[in-house]
Amino acid sequence: MDDLRTTLATFSPDDRKDFARFIQRQRKKTKGRLDARLYELLLHQRVYSTEELIRHLYPEEPNPVAYYALRKRLMRHLTDFLLLRQRQQDATAAAPVRGQLTLAQYLFDVGVPRLAWTTLRKAEKLARQNEQYELLNTVYNLQITNADTAPAGEELADIIRRRNLNKKAADEEERASIANSLIRQRLREARTRGRGGEAFDTIMQEVLREYELQEAFARRPSLLYRLLSIARSAMLVRRDFVSFVPFVVRCYNLMEKRHGFAPAHRYYQLGLLYMIAHALYRTRRFAESVAYLEQLRCALYSGSRSHYTDFLPKYTFLLAANYAFLRRNAESIQLVESLLCNAEVVLSSRDQLTAKLGLSFHYFAESQFHKTNQILISIGRSDHWCEQQMGLEWVFNKNLGEMLTQLEMGNADLALNRLRAIERMVRERCPDGNTYHYVLTFLALVREIIDDPAAANQPTFAERLGKMPTFLPLEREDLQALSFYCWLRARMLRKPYYDVLLELADTAPVLQAL
């Protein structure tokens, strides 16, 4: 296996274009570049052997030595590209602190200590305000190393004292990282033993007690956010948001009441509010979800715009989804369309796909099927490309939406073709039939309707629909799977799809006291 090829294959289509341009940076020669040619060959669908790559690159005389030197050059390009992208995408204070450290080290090296110390003071203040303890430790070590050039007022003993205090916080950070890894590992082990549903609270308390971190997680928003992200991942796998909601709300309220959220903690506060709002939405507590989204909006606009690009799309999609279940679907459409037309926010490929699929759902609920079809067509990407960006389940949802839209538009032949394509995809990608078995059951019932539109009104159809397999009991069902189930139920009851969806969604699962 070619490790370099494996690494490059993880790039999204946009990343591949950006890296190809990055290779050509500051180079007069843009054609015939062997490093660019090697990059193209490594991304080719066919997997070339080393010997074949050498023949392609050096057809006149194979040169293995030059080939391996070329690979090293491409790896250097890759490393530089990833470092630059990391700095550009880092919304925390880590990137500017690293930059100031680099500048200070350079100034010390070239004999400008006064300016170097001024830069280090700025780095120290920024790192301390933003809980960048590892970087702060580097700042203090650099100050200690260059203590002989320290200006008046910078005593070595005081620097060492600050360094030792920070070392305790940095050690706490390291123990928190260890604890997070242990919690993930023990959760996986619990799931394999069939105890995943009851394990999280017990495992978390055991690990936090073992590493003396109970107070740290209750005091520091960054650690709490990381812990709850793990919990949320476990709940996403099981779709068990019913038990997650009280837990995350309790943790957030305790943090807000005891310690509050400083401006430097804004990202973690926004992330926690989004977790709560999303979990409430998935448990059909739509009004409560909207209330937490309003808190998120206020926090988002109260400070700098550094987190605007990250959270505005998430906020908009979730608010629109909530409005759809609160009989405010027209407002949902306005929200998503405004986001797509917002020149101030550059949406990522993932956000654009999320927006368009969500918008198609909202138009479908309004029975505007031609508009739904236009939105789906505007995605303009292959299933393979969409799967790379969004995952297989998203592609299934898009294709199911396309099938139902064609059927509602009266294009039974097109709907049947799409149905067969989905069946093939399910059987090819999930040969065991367990992961997406509900899709095949759903398609079998849709096929009956295509063959005979009156089939949905037969008593036997209602019986089979009642036995349709689901991920979980109905009170914990995923709203996406519920939407497709409601379309069948609407056909059976001869009622508008949107009305049936709202009726079923109004039955919210029982939550523990918040």
Side-chain angles (χ1 to χ4, degrees):
M1 182 178 291
D2 190 324
D3 292 340
L4 179 56
R5 186 181 192 278
T6 301
T7 304
L8 294 172
T10 63
F11 280 4
S12 68
D14 289 339
D15 289 337
R16 293 180 181 185
K17 293 178 184 177
D18 290 342
F19 184 54
R21 287 192 291 266
F22 184 81
I23 293 174
Q24 303 285 0
R25 72 197 186 287
Q26 298 178 351
R27 298 276 181 167
K28 294 180 180 179
K29 182 180 178 182
T30 58
K31 293 183 178 180
R33 292 277 303 276
L34 287 182
D35 48 4
R37 177 60 178 152
L38 175 59
Y39 174 54
E40 293 173 0
L41 291 170
L42 290 172
L43 287 181
H44 199 277
Q45 286 187 344
R46 179 183 172 185
V47 180
Y48 292 108
S49 66
T50 300
E51 293 73 17
E52 289 174 322
L53 288 170
I54 293 173
R55 283 199 298 271
H56 277 287
L57 293 166
Y58 309 98
E60 295 180 1
E61 183 179 353
N63 192 336
V65 175
Y67 166 72
Y68 285 107
L70 187 64
R71 284 179 64 90
K72 289 181 180 179
R73 190 195 313 166
L74 184 59
M75 180 59 80
R76 285 196 298 271
H77 287 316
L78 177 60
T79 304
D80 292 343
F81 172 74
L82 292 175
L83 282 171
L84 180 62
R85 191 178 69 166
Q86 183 185 43
R87 291 197 62 181
Q88 291 173 338
Q89 294 179 349
D90 191 351
T92 69
V97 172
R98 288 192 187 98
Q100 289 168 343
L101 276 168
T102 302
L103 176 59
Q105 182 66 69
Y106 168 77
L107 292 169
F108 280 127
D109 291 342
V110 297
V112 191
R114 180 191 61 80
L115 189 53
W117 276 95
T118 300
T119 304
L120 279 179
R121 288 195 194 99
K122 293 178 182 177
E124 179 184 358
K125 181 180 179 181
L126 187 61
R128 187 170 57 247
Q129 287 176 340
N130 291 275
E131 298 183 353
Q132 297 289 333
Y133 297 115
E134 290 187 16
L135 288 174
L136 191 54
N137 197 54
T138 306
V139 171
Y140 289 135
N141 287 336
L142 189 55
Q143 289 177 343
I144 292 169
T145 301
N146 295 276
D148 57 323
T149 65
E154 287 287 355
E155 298 293 336
L156 178 58
D158 189 48
I159 295 173
I160 294 173
R161 180 188 60 79
R162 298 200 305 269
R163 182 259 182 198
N164 291 339
L165 285 173
N166 177 71
K167 193 68 175 175
K168 295 179 181 178
D171 178 64
E172 191 175 74
E173 190 89 15
E174 290 178 1
R175 286 186 283 119
S177 295
I178 294 170
N180 285 336
S181 296
L182 281 173
I183 290 171
R184 283 195 181 94
Q185 182 188 53
R186 294 181 186 180
L187 276 175
R188 285 195 300 269
E189 292 172 352
R191 282 198 295 270
T192 59
R193 295 195 302 268
R195 297 197 309 113
E198 61 181 1
F200 183 78
D201 281 346
T202 303
I203 289 173
M204 181 190 70
Q205 294 299 334
E206 288 176 354
V207 173
L208 295 188
R209 188 163 49 248
E210 180 182 352
Y211 284 85
E212 300 177 355
L213 287 167
Q214 298 98 318
E215 177 58 28
F217 275 94
R219 174 173 32 87
R220 292 177 52 189
S222 61
L223 300 185
L224 179 64
Y225 175 76
R226 285 159 60 183
L227 178 69
L228 292 180
S229 295
I230 297 171
R232 184 171 182 262
S233 297
M235 301 307 166
L236 280 169
V237 171
R238 304 200 315 272
R239 288 175 166 80
D240 184 12
F241 291 96
V242 173
S243 58
F244 178 64
V245 169
F247 175 64
V248 66
V249 170
R250 184 170 64 252
C251 290
Y252 179 84
N253 289 340
L254 284 173
M255 174 66 71
E256 187 176 41
K257 182 179 179 180
R258 292 181 181 178
H259 306 284
F261 293 91
H265 302 143
R266 188 72 67 219
Y267 176 85
Y268 306 113
Q269 182 185 16
L270 292 169
L272 291 170
L273 286 169
Y274 180 79
M275 284 186 201
I276 295 171
H278 182 254
L280 285 166
Y281 164 75
R282 297 294 284 267
T283 52
R284 307 179 215 169
R285 301 285 178 170
F286 305 116
E288 295 171 61
S289 178
V290 170
Y292 275 97
L293 284 173
E294 177 59 21
Q295 291 187 48
L296 190 156
R297 187 190 66 81
C298 293
L300 184 61
Y301 286 96
S302 63
S304 68
R305 302 285 287 271
S306 58
H307 306 304
Y308 196 74
T309 303
D310 284 339
F311 282 96
L312 183 64
K314 293 180 180 179
Y315 162 82
T316 303
F317 299 148
L318 189 52
L319 185 61
N322 275 295
Y323 279 176
F325 288 100
L326 291 170
R327 300 183 183 276
R328 300 169 64 179
N329 196 46
E331 294 176 65
S332 299
I333 292 173
Q334 287 182 331
L335 279 168
V336 181
E337 288 190 333
S338 296
L339 180 66
L340 284 168
C341 298
N342 190 339
E344 295 183 6
V345 180
V346 179
L347 296 179
S348 66
S349 298
R350 287 180 58 86
D351 285 339
Q352 289 183 35
L353 291 171
T354 301
K356 290 182 177 181
L357 187 60
L359 191 57
S360 71
F361 164 83
H362 297 305
Y363 275 117
F364 190 92
E366 293 291 320
S367 298
Q368 297 187 38
F369 304 120
H370 284 87
K371 187 67 176 178
T372 303
N373 190 45
Q374 290 175 3
I375 297 294
L376 291 170
I377 290 173
S378 73
I379 291 175
R381 297 286 190 173
S382 67
D383 283 352
H384 176 71
W385 189 90
C386 289
E387 185 181 342
Q388 285 185 313
Q389 294 285 328
M390 305 298 291
L392 185 59
E393 187 167 338
W394 189 94
V395 173
F396 280 145
N397 288 333
K398 178 183 78 75
N399 289 343
L400 290 170
E402 290 172 344
M403 176 191 68
L404 296 182
T405 299
Q406 293 300 328
L407 189 54
E408 290 287 4
M409 291 170 61
N411 301 324
D413 290 343
L414 291 177
L416 184 59
N417 289 338
R418 175 55 67 186
L419 183 149
R420 290 168 177 161
I422 300 170
E423 284 181 335
R424 283 196 305 272
M425 183 184 296
V426 173
R427 292 193 174 101
E428 289 172 1
R429 305 302 301 277
C430 310
D432 58 357
N434 293 325
T435 308
Y436 293 103
H437 61 285
Y438 75 98
V439 175
L440 293 175
T441 305
F442 174 77
L443 292 175
L445 294 173
V446 174
R447 185 188 288 272
E448 289 188 31
I449 294 174
I450 293 175
D451 293 338
D452 178 12
N457 308 126
Q458 302 299 321
T460 54
F461 187 91
E463 183 180 349
R464 287 196 299 280
L465 181 60
K467 295 178 180 178
M468 182 177 171
T470 55
F471 288 122
L472 294 165
L474 189 59
E475 67 270 12
R476 293 184 176 181
E477 183 55 89
D478 186 340
L479 283 172
Q480 292 173 334
L482 185 66
S483 300
F484 296 122
Y485 170 82
C486 286
W487 183 86
L488 290 171
R489 187 174 173 81
R491 280 297 184 111
M492 182 185 72
L493 298 175
R494 300 182 185 180
K495 294 173 67 175
Y497 156 75
Y498 191 36
D499 291 345
V500 173
L501 179 63
L502 293 180
E503 287 173 7
L504 205 55
D506 281 342
T507 310
V510 178
L511 294 181
Q512 303 170 26
L514 300 183

